Amino acid sequence: MVVADKTKEDILKLLSQIADPEIPVVTIQEIGMLRDVNISDDGIEVIITPTYTGCPAMGIIEADIKALLHEHGYDATVKLVYNPAWTTDWMTDEAKEKMRKYGIAPPTHSSCGDIAAAEAEIACPQCGSKNTEVVSRFGATACKALYKCNSCKEPFEYFKCH
Amino acid sequence: MADLNELKYTYSLRLGDDAWILSHRLSEWCSNGPFLEEDLALTNLALDLIGRAQGFYKYAAELEGKGKTEDDLAYRRNERQYFNHLLVEMPNGNFADTIARQLYVSVFEYYFFNELKNSSDETFAALAAKTLKEVKYHMAHAVDWTIRLGDGTEESHWKMQRALDSLWMYTGELFEMDEVDNELLQQCIAVDVIALKAKWQEHIERVLKQATLKQAEDAYMQTGSRKGIHTEHLGHMLGDMQYLQRAYPDAKW
């Protein structure tokens, strides 16, 4: 196995193309799940963190990382860490914009203490109106809530701040 | 004194059990929720709890050092070897019963993990910091529903009151400390739950007042789970939960 000719940055760059299995318009790097890469004589170790403890996408992400690196001739191990705890603050502005265009209202506030306050002014990703309301704090995935827009009447998902 | 790793193993196992058993209870609502969004909400809570259980079981298995996995701990133990609080194994009952259980548990967990995140044990601290973010949503869900049902119709009000009253006797256990807690507390690893009781009670009272409900009257408090003594409900639940792994050991998808 050839590892020596690659730097940590090279590997991170390679991994930055892996899409989030649930929201394929953003990558695991943009969403903040890809934390670090360690290169040693034993091989490559990729450090990831879950968005939610029960996130069912973690298994797929691990498999995607291993498969991509294997394709490039590397064997890798993937380590799951909980510290520091993932937060939507790590999400880049570009990622939030991509998410909005995809139809998901991105998290607007930084990691929130007050859930109700953070939910107050969510703009509809379709029409931009802030006249929206929560249908349920829990949606199709752990990270999203269900909303509806009172202006254009469209239902939409909101990526909860965390 | 027992070995430190053994104490931490027991502590991690208990926290895993609390999450795991409540998760299974909530998952029993799948396709039985009062409406679609609420069905999703309850199963979302269950999913968070599975993730949490996995984290604590993994750590417990690592501390035990016998090469077990989180699945072995979840599926290969008998009733007396589970140490979850009695409260989390109580049946779902009607929707108000489930919400009352969620209220008591999630408010407790909010204060508990807020303390455990300062644990001198790095893994406990990391898992607690992560869990706390999720518990805030669980608590908000339970509080909203308690107010809605309590301050709702005559029927929803009395069902909610009856649920709060009948589960009250299982809340005393949340604030018990045994030798494992005390030994680990001395090392700044565990949480002093006795110190949380007043905050918990005040918080519950505040919510109930808003919900036009009454605090349950003090009564005999049931206990035993930290020694593996459970209510009759846990065995039935495990029979259902463990069936596949017991009938077909190591079965994989």
Side-chain angles (χ1 to χ4, degrees), chain A residues 50-51 53 86 137 139 161-162, chain B residues 44 48 130 133-134 137 144:
Chain A
T51 52
T53 50
W86 175 83
R137 284 205 177 99
C161 72
H162 208 67
Chain B
N44 258 281
D48 283 348
K130 184 87 195 142
K133 286 167 169 249
E134 298 173 3
Y137 280 92
D144 282 358

Side-chain angles (χ1 to χ4, degrees), chain B residues 54-71:
Chain B
Q54 192 179 24
F56 284 109
Y57 281 161
K58 240 185 203 165
Y59 189 40
E62 192 186 307
L63 289 163
E64 192 189 30
K66 289 184 186 166
K68 282 189 198 159
T69 68
E70 60 268 34
D71 287 336

Side-chain angles (χ1 to χ4, degrees), chain B residues 238-251:
Chain B
L238 294 180
D240 189 25
M241 180 210 274
Q242 297 181 337
Y243 172 78
L244 195 84
Q245 278 299 322
R246 297 285 192 184
Y248 305 97
D250 299 323

